[in-house]
Amino acid sequence: MKKHLCAATFCLLLSLFSITVAYAEAPSNEALLERISRLEEKLAVQDNQGSGFLDAWTDKITLSGVIEVEACYESIDYDDSAESDEDNSDITLATVELGVDVDLVKHVSGHILLLWEEDDTEPMDVDEAFITLDGKDVLPLYLMAGKMYVPFGDFTSNMISDPLTLEVGEARESAVLVGFDINGLYGTIYAFNGDVEEADDDDNHVDNFGASLGYALEKDTMTLDVGVSYINNLIDSDGMGDSYDDAVAEADELGNVLELDDYVGGFGAHIVVELGSLNLIAEYVGAIDDIDYQLDGVSVKEDAIRSWNLEAGYAFELFGKETIVAAAYQGTDNAGDLLPESRFMACIGAGILDYTSLALEFAHDEYETDDEADIVTAQLAIEF
């Protein structure tokens, strides 16, 4: 009995000792609160570090975009009585653009522009993608390499529709470009491997090039941009190149061979002036020489194609909204039925909401074939 009592007493004492030790080792309320406070401080530091990392990348990346929806009505009056006149209307998602600009580190940046145009670029196309290395505070020079619209022509316009100068001269190429900008004086030189080759030239080389030179001035109530540009093969531009490819395909269907005899240089000049609320635009883009082809080895000559654009626009407030009205006269020489010989245009546009604009345009086209067309276009757009 005593043995059992001693054993029970020993177990009781051991239990009390264990409880006492455990209680002694357990942290007090104050210690627990201190531990929790330290943990909260660590979490806050980690959150701030993560937020700083994200903020740093947010500062480096800029997103931009454009969405344009257009409704169009076109009436075509053919001079040839054998052809019936036409009336067409349509609603299209004309343009979707998404741009990404990244400033990685000092002197290094990247640009990507994705483009979708209904019935033209489906699915979405990488319209531009290039890397820029700039001198900034070291040298007033920069280098660009990648897919870009080379600086031939200016193509500034108040209209919804692209100017005829753009239809003739715009060129998107994978190129390397070197440029400078010093106190308003700017210029570039660039080189690329074009798609349109000369006859009997089986080599595939970087033999297309161009250059531009201009001057830009900005004051309180006036801005000025005047410049000239040159490209050694205008036939390689987007519009002229597509027309040439169509002619080659048509000749091939007839069992003939059509080739470009020699590269045809292009020249462009522009002046854009803003005087307060008034802006004036004048631009010329054209071939320097006549265009020589070889059709089954026989020389065929076409007159040099030329284009121009003259515009005037005036900005004012209408019902508290920023509004612009503009008129233009555009034209071409020796474009055949590819482009209008003359185009008369008028346009009115307004910013109806933040980042949102509504515009209405009328154009009357007259062709060398004496065909005529009237086109009315309405555009709703957002830009961010």
Side-chain angles (χ1 to χ4, degrees):
M1 179 69 176
K2 289 182 178 180
K3 288 182 180 180
H4 290 297
L5 180 61
C6 290
T9 304
F10 176 78
C11 289
L12 178 62
L13 291 173
L14 181 62
S15 298
L16 290 172
F17 176 76
S18 299
I19 292 171
T20 302
V21 171
Y23 181 80
E25 290 178 350
S28 64
N29 291 337
E30 290 79 4
L32 286 173
L33 290 173
E34 185 178 352
R35 286 187 183 183
I36 292 172
S37 178
R38 286 200 299 266
L39 287 173
E40 288 177 342
E41 289 177 359
K42 287 183 179 180
L43 289 173
V45 169
Q46 291 176 357
D47 288 342
N48 288 333
Q49 289 176 343
S51 176
F53 176 79
L54 292 176
D55 288 343
W57 273 103
T58 301
D59 292 339
K60 293 176 181 292
I61 300 174
T62 302
L63 296 178
S64 60
V66 175
I67 301 175
E68 297 173 345
V69 180
E70 295 179 1
C72 178
Y73 171 79
E74 180 181 34
S75 175
I76 304 174
D77 181 11
Y78 292 104
D79 181 67
D80 188 350
S81 59
E83 295 189 68
S84 300
D85 296 342
E86 294 183 16
D87 291 313
N88 304 299
S89 62
D90 200 3
I91 298 175
T92 61
L93 178 57
T95 305
V96 176
E97 288 183 354
L98 180 61
V100 182
D101 291 277
V102 183
D103 288 322
L104 292 175
V105 294
K106 188 176 182 180
H107 306 304
V108 182
S109 61
H111 170 76
I112 299 172
L113 180 65
L114 304 178
L115 173 67
W116 186 91
E117 296 173 307
E118 190 166 331
D119 301 326
D120 287 328
T121 53
E122 297 181 16
M124 184 168 279
D125 184 33
V126 178
D127 194 48
E128 296 177 335
F130 53 80
I131 299 168
T132 301
L133 307 179
D134 62 79
K136 285 189 177 178
D137 53 333
V138 180
L139 287 172
L141 299 174
Y142 60 91
L143 181 144
M144 296 169 57
K147 178 78 75 173
M148 70 187 76
Y149 288 91
V150 297
F152 176 70
D154 181 72
F155 315 132
T156 299
S157 178
N158 298 296
M159 304 296 162
I160 296 174
S161 305
D162 293 330
L164 295 178
T165 50
L166 181 146
E167 301 290 352
V168 171
E170 184 181 67
R172 183 172 65 111
E173 305 289 349
S174 293
V176 173
L177 176 151
V178 177
F180 69 89
D181 192 340
I182 307 174
N183 297 324
L185 182 66
Y186 61 88
T188 63
I189 57 173
Y190 54 89
F192 60 93
N193 183 5
D195 298 322
V196 178
E197 301 291 344
E198 295 175 307
D200 303 324
D201 186 0
D202 297 328
D203 296 329
N204 190 20
H205 294 297
V206 178
D207 55 1
N208 294 90
F209 57 89
S212 66
L213 183 66
Y215 178 73
L217 173 67
E218 185 173 351
K219 292 187 176 181
D220 293 338
T221 59
M222 172 189 170
T223 63
L224 169 68
D225 184 5
V226 57
V228 294
S229 54
Y230 168 81
I231 194 168
N232 77 321
N233 186 20
L234 183 63
I235 307 302
D236 202 67
S237 71
D238 296 345
M240 297 294 293
D242 290 343
S243 177
Y244 174 74
D245 290 341
D246 292 341
V248 169
E250 184 178 349
D252 185 62
E253 289 180 0
L254 298 174
N256 301 320
V257 177
L258 179 67
E259 297 176 294
L260 181 66
D261 194 26
D262 291 303
Y263 286 161
V264 181
F267 172 78
H270 72 272
I271 178 169
V272 180
V273 182
E274 290 190 14
L275 301 169
S277 299
L278 178 67
N279 73 71
L280 302 171
I281 301 167
E283 182 171 29
Y284 169 87
V285 170
I288 296 175
D289 300 311
D290 292 340
I291 306 171
D292 293 327
Y293 298 101
Q294 286 188 13
L295 182 61
D296 293 336
V298 178
S299 180
V300 178
K301 186 182 295 289
E302 286 188 0
D303 293 333
I305 187 170
R306 302 180 180 90
S307 64
W308 59 86
N309 178 32
L310 301 172
E311 284 190 34
Y314 183 76
F316 59 98
E317 280 197 4
L318 181 64
F319 303 118
K321 304 297 183 181
E322 184 178 349
T323 305
I324 184 169
V325 293
Y329 169 62
Q330 303 176 8
T332 65
D333 275 338
N334 307 315
D337 59 356
L338 176 64
L339 295 170
E341 184 179 30
S342 61
R343 171 177 285 176
F344 303 92
M345 308 181 72
C347 183
I348 181 170
I352 57 175
L353 296 168
D354 291 345
Y355 312 107
T356 308
S357 64
L358 180 64
L360 181 66
E361 175 191 272
F362 171 78
H364 175 75
D365 292 346
E366 297 178 358
Y367 291 80
E368 291 182 4
T369 56
D370 292 329
D371 296 339
E372 297 184 4
D374 292 313
I375 307 167
V376 178
T377 305
Q379 182 192 81
L380 178 64
I382 63 171
E383 185 173 357
F384 56 91

